[in-house]
Amino acid sequence: MKIIVSKFGGSSMKDHEAMLRSAAISKRQNSFITLVSATYGTTDQLHLLIDYAVSQKWDECEKLLFKIKENHLNILSNLTDDHKTAQNLRELLNNLETLTKGVFLIGECSLKIKDRVVSFGERLSSLLYTEAMKMTWPEKEITLIDSRNVLKTDSTFGKGAPLVSEIKKQCNATFDKSGKIAYVGQGYIGSDMNGSTTTLGRGGSDYSAALFAEGVSADVLEIWTDVAGIATTDPRIVANASPINEISYDEAGEMAQYGAKILHPTTLVPAMREKIPVFVGSSYESDEKGTWIHQEVKEKPLIRAITKRSNQALLTVRTPKMLDAFGFMSRIFNIFTKHKISVDCITTSEISVAVSVDQSTLDHKELIDELSQIGSVATETGLSLVSLIGNQMLHTPGLGKRLFTSIEEVNTRMVCFGASPYNLNLLVKDEDSNLAISNLHKEFIG
Ligand code: ADP
Ligand code: ASP
Ligand code: MG
């Protein structure tokens, strides 16, 4: 039996029709494990619910809880009249309400409790999806698992780091590979070694699926979403972005890292470790070609795709003391490491270091204070990182001329190039970023 792990995102769980459409794909593909995201928009609603509870807006909490309840009960009524499932769903919804009340009464919410609240999204959707699977695939035994028992992580709430060997152990103990059973589980959620619920960070269901695929040594990992595969850029920015049929792990990994929302940034890491081919396709048009991600690909164009990461800031530390000073860089980066801040792009001159970071990093007062002890700190916000993803960029004469001519009306605040053969990054103003992407797309991809 070919072992296939499939993941369906929020838009594929939008309503009962989307669930049934997705279940038909699970059946057609003979998926061994299907992981699902929360129903469309629910994770956002759960985050909002926490905000309302913390800021003492109980009326708003009630309205939102009602919406969440209505939405899930409505899907249920269109799928089944099974009494036990209805009872389980109501119990989950009641537990969510009780937990929200607790947050409201205490008036604060730790990251640990936040993870517990947001985990309800996937726990609710997977219960409903199991019913869709049972309806669609009656000849198969459908088993709902609690992914928290399998996807073990450390205790970094909000962004748990997976414990790979522990996950493998749990996969071996949980899944019967005889082919009798098709499993349904939740993306995004896990638990630490004390059993407390954790999550993998926003968009983390892709990563969950890759970790499960690694855990069961799957033959294929499938990511089903609302577009027919990975395109040369975000189709919302360039309407004629074209689908990519085949792409390497390296290139797709860079795309995810530099903002292509279609894949969570770390999804490909487990797949690469086990050399599992990854397919990305649309659950709405499942007959479309989609994208295959492999170790080796036939075609390696100079520029394959362009991505964008918004809400970036440029942080510059400047000190005359850097002249001939050893250890300046390491002192700066030790501070970033201490505060667990990841830096994307770096440029240095003799007396300054500039790094691009997520804009939210600037809220980190301690980080800025500590950097200020080394030198004067300047910040610029409202920037976007535009990345060209491709091959052989380090060894192609004339690339720079074509690039800068195509975006001559755009001011480039920083350029990062030289470390990786797969990408070239430009930091530009947010308001110029779509123009830059369109022009670059026209010049390099057509
Ligand atoms: P899901 O809920 O299924 O995980 P996401 O919204 O996280 O779906 O990711 C799919 C979206 O990613 C698409 O609707 C598209 O707007 C966006 N996207 C960004 N960059 C790309 C790209 N290069 N190719 C295709 N889609 C992209
Ligand atoms: N439901 C989670 C989110 O919206 C995880 C995911 O969909 O990948 O972030
Ligand atoms: Mg996603």
Side-chain angles (χ1 to χ4, degrees):
M1 180 181 81
K2 242 190 168 182
I3 298 198
I4 294 178
V5 174
S6 308
K7 172 259 168 179
F8 291 88
S11 47
S12 308
M13 294 290 120
K14 200 172 190 148
D15 47 32
H16 72 282
E17 282 163 351
M19 284 197 183
L20 290 170
R21 202 181 300 122
S22 301
I25 298 173
S26 289
K27 176 180 175 176
R28 184 187 79 188
Q29 302 299 97
N30 194 18
S31 302
F32 177 51
I33 304 172
T34 303
L35 294 191
V36 298
S37 290
T39 56
Y40 187 75
T42 300
T43 309
D44 288 339
Q45 288 179 326
L46 291 167
H47 278 276
L48 191 59
L49 187 65
I50 296 166
D51 291 346
Y52 286 148
V54 170
S55 51
Q56 302 297 292
K57 296 179 181 155
W58 184 248
D59 282 356
E60 297 296 334
C61 288
E62 278 192 322
K63 274 189 231 159
L64 204 45
L65 282 164
F66 182 76
K67 251 194 205 165
I68 294 170
K69 217 177 257 188
E70 280 262 295
N71 180 26
H72 289 88
L73 289 173
N74 183 33
I75 298 177
L76 178 78
S77 66
N78 281 299
L79 286 176
T80 177
D81 49 15
D82 179 58
H83 179 69
K84 183 81 187 124
T85 310
Q87 201 181 342
N88 290 343
L89 192 77
R90 283 187 187 279
E91 194 178 313
L92 274 178
L93 290 163
N94 288 342
N95 290 348
L96 171 63
E97 181 160 352
T98 309
L99 192 57
T100 310
K101 189 80 192 192
V103 174
F104 168 76
L105 289 174
I106 296 169
E108 58 182 84
C109 188
S110 64
L111 288 175
K112 185 173 174 176
I113 301 298
K114 234 179 211 177
D115 274 353
R116 254 175 75 187
V117 177
V118 298
S119 75
F120 277 88
E122 272 68 12
R123 287 157 68 195
L124 288 162
S125 63
S126 56
L127 187 62
L128 294 170
Y129 189 69
T130 304
E131 291 309 308
M133 285 279 272
K134 284 181 182 165
M135 270 179 79
T136 312
W137 204 356
E139 59 281 19
K140 196 83 166 182
E141 188 180 328
I142 310 294
T143 299
L144 173 65
I145 60 143
D146 188 333
S147 292
R148 291 175 297 177
N149 298 330
V150 178
L151 205 141
K152 302 306 282 186
T153 71
D154 71 1
S155 302
T156 312
F157 296 101
K159 203 173 186 177
L163 306 174
V164 174
S165 57
E166 203 55 46
I167 294 171
K168 280 205 172 146
K169 205 164 95 189
Q170 295 305 331
C171 280
N172 286 335
T174 307
F175 299 113
D176 167 0
K177 284 189 175 171
S178 68
K180 264 195 341 237
I181 306 173
Y183 294 92
V184 175
Q186 309 77 27
Y188 185 49
I189 67 173
S191 73
D192 69 3
M193 294 311 281
N194 301 317
S196 300
T197 301
T198 55
T199 63
L200 297 181
R202 292 306 306 266
S205 295
D206 302 334
Y207 192 23
S208 296
L211 290 160
F212 272 71
E214 179 182 35
V216 297
S217 301
D219 296 295
V220 179
L221 165 63
E222 300 176 344
I223 307 283
W224 295 97
T225 178
D226 59 353
V227 286
I230 303 178
T232 48
T233 192
D234 189 338
R236 288 170 300 188
I237 301 176
V238 177
N240 70 343
S242 44
I244 297 170
N245 296 335
E246 203 191 28
I247 185 171
S248 67
Y249 287 134
D250 290 317
E251 293 168 274
E254 298 276 5
M255 282 187 80
Q257 195 63 43
Y258 287 106
K261 196 193 166 209
I262 189 150
L263 283 182
H264 179 273
T266 34
T267 308
L268 295 174
V269 175
M272 280 169 88
R273 278 194 297 251
E274 282 278 318
K275 298 204 170 39
I276 302 169
V278 181
F279 173 80
V280 183
S282 163
S283 70
Y284 289 78
E285 297 162 296
S286 63
D287 292 330
E288 291 284 316
K289 259 190 173 159
T291 303
W292 278 99
I293 311 171
H294 292 291
Q295 175 83 24
E296 281 301 326
V297 289
K298 279 186 221 99
E299 280 174 36
K300 294 184 176 173
L302 174 64
I303 307 297
R304 173 94 69 185
I306 304 168
T307 62
K308 162 163 129 169
R309 203 145 107 194
S310 307
N311 300 317
Q312 299 297 294
L314 187 63
L315 195 155
T316 309
V317 186
R318 184 182 290 260
T319 169
K321 282 185 247 150
M322 188 172 170
L323 281 166
D324 299 324
F326 295 106
F328 175 75
M329 294 276 241
S330 92
R331 277 161 65 209
I332 290 188
F333 288 102
N334 280 339
I335 296 173
F336 281 109
T337 309
K338 181 177 151 195
H339 293 283
K340 293 189 173 170
I341 301 293
S342 70
V343 164
D344 290 309
C345 294
I346 309 166
T347 58
T348 64
S349 77
E350 216 172 0
I351 57 159
S352 55
V353 174
V355 298
S356 76
V357 288
D358 279 332
Q359 205 158 289
S360 58
T361 304
L362 304 186
D363 300 335
H364 215 309
K365 196 173 167 305
E366 278 171 33
L367 171 91
I368 307 293
D369 286 349
E370 285 181 39
L371 289 173
S372 304
Q373 285 165 18
I374 298 183
S376 65
V377 175
T379 57
E380 273 177 65
T381 54
L383 300 168
S384 285
L385 197 60
V386 171
S387 305
L388 293 170
I389 312 290
N391 299 277
Q392 286 294 325
M393 275 190 252
L394 299 177
H395 306 286
T396 304
L399 173 65
K401 182 173 179 217
R402 283 178 69 190
L403 192 158
F404 288 108
T405 307
S406 74
I407 54 164
E408 60 190 0
E409 61 268 68
V410 172
N411 176 40
T412 305
R413 192 53 198 80
M414 178 160 141
V415 181
C416 250
F417 179 54
S420 159
Y422 307 109
N423 73 47
L424 184 157
N425 302 315
L426 306 165
L427 201 61
V428 300
K429 281 202 175 124
D430 270 335
E431 60 261 37
D432 293 338
S433 58
N434 287 359
L435 174 68
I437 292 172
S438 307
N439 288 1
L440 290 165
H441 197 271
K442 208 181 290 164
E443 171 65 27
F444 289 104
I445 298 170

